Amino acid sequence: NAGVTQTPKFRILKIGQSMTLQCTQDMNHNYMYWYRQDPGMGLKLIYYSVGAGITDKGEVPNGYNVSRSTTEDFPLRLELAAPSQTSVYFCASSLRTVMNNSPLHFGNGTRLTVT
Amino acid sequence: GENVEQHPSTLSVQEGDSAVIKCTYSDSASNYFPWYKQELGKRPQLIIDIRSNVGEKKDQRIAVTLNKTAKHFSLHITETQPEDSAVYFCENYGGATNKLIFGTGTLLAVQP
């Protein structure tokens, strides 16, 4: 298993540009998450999905959009990039059921700079 | 809503000493309590977890204890080594909301 794969690893955007951060997992996990981590700070939840076709907002969703058309893929879209979106973005997945929780598996992250 | 408080935010110990990090949660329905380690420039990775039906779990030099009555769980690292230096996060799952909440992190520095 490759686990959670994120692309690209690095990206520089100009203010107002748009881009999609890709995330795919091959573990058949039902839950997927997008977090951002600013330098020296903790993990802030942007959006999450409990299964294909279902997404919901996290703590900091403004300026982002997501979709979950398949179990494997959970892309994050930035429509109008702003300097405040400069951060490291982590995608994660886990297998969760009513009776059982499992840990998050993280991708390697995407380092985004908006100038 | 659910929240998680993690303390301390920074911790400096001498090599060989023990380190303890504590997280307090609010969701009484929580039943799973993992800890993650994040080395500089890398992704967080699970180091140990515990489920609500046990009070303690140990894996070599690391252990996690759970007090469901007081709603807190702690990470214990014994005989610390320089490679233990990292940021440690606790995680709590809000069963009512499906949201994962991370603690604010603890920067552990092990001085050789």
Side-chain angles (χ1 to χ4, degrees):
Chain A
N1 287 351
V4 179
T5 302
Q6 286 183 243
T7 57
K9 292 183 180 179
F10 305 93
R11 184 72 185 268
I12 298 174
L13 283 181
K14 294 187 184 302
I15 295 172
Q17 287 185 321
S18 61
M19 77 164 293
T20 299
L21 282 68
Q22 301 290 346
C23 176
T24 188
Q25 52 94 7
D26 61 358
M27 297 172 284
N28 202 30
H29 286 172
N30 52 348
Y31 280 58
M32 295 188 75
Y33 302 83
W34 274 105
Y35 289 90
R36 61 174 287 173
Q37 187 175 37
D38 298 335
M41 303 295 284
L43 296 152
K44 296 291 187 183
L45 180 64
I46 306 171
Y47 270 95
Y48 68 100
S49 169
V50 303
I54 305 170
T55 63
D56 208 345
K57 297 178 180 178
E59 302 169 79
V60 290
N62 291 343
Y64 307 95
N65 277 300
V66 293
S67 61
R68 184 96 182 271
S69 57
T70 66
T71 299
E72 295 78 19
D73 300 307
F74 191 41
L76 177 71
R77 178 82 177 163
L78 282 72
E79 289 294 347
L80 291 170
S84 61
Q85 293 177 306
T86 294
S87 190
V88 178
Y89 291 83
F90 288 102
C91 179
S93 72
S94 69
L95 184 64
R96 297 194 177 233
T97 65
V98 173
M99 297 301 295
N100 194 21
N101 292 317
S102 67
L104 292 186
H105 295 254
F106 285 86
N108 284 323
T110 295
R111 187 175 298 275
L112 176 67
T113 302
V114 182
T115 61
Chain B
E2 297 87 356
N3 69 330
V4 177
E5 293 186 6
Q6 181 173 344
H7 297 284
S9 57
T10 60
L11 181 58
S12 181
V13 299
Q14 291 296 124
E15 183 176 357
D17 287 351
S18 295
V20 181
I21 305 168
K22 181 179 177 180
C23 276
T24 303
Y25 62 97
S26 61
D27 185 350
S28 57
S30 297
N31 59 13
Y32 178 63
F33 307 90
W35 285 93
Y36 298 84
K37 176 183 180 182
Q38 187 178 26
E39 296 177 354
L40 187 62
K42 296 189 176 181
R43 60 184 169 179
Q45 290 190 289
L46 176 78
I47 53 170
I48 195 166
D49 57 6
I50 192 170
R51 301 187 189 275
S52 58
N53 56 344
V54 297
E56 182 175 0
K57 181 178 178 181
K58 192 172 183 179
D59 182 4
Q60 298 181 28
R61 295 188 297 108
I62 60 172
V64 55
T65 58
L66 172 64
N67 184 328
K68 288 210 73 177
T69 303
K71 294 185 186 175
H72 64 73
F73 58 111
S74 298
L75 175 69
H76 305 256
I77 306 174
T78 58
E79 301 172 29
T80 53
Q81 301 169 5
E83 53 263 39
D84 294 329
S85 296
V87 178
Y88 292 83
F89 292 97
C90 63
E91 179 222 294
N92 188 236
Y93 175 61
T97 64
N98 288 321
K99 290 181 182 177
L100 280 176
I101 302 172
F102 280 90
T104 49
T106 297
L107 176 61
L108 173 65
V110 180
Q111 309 297 332

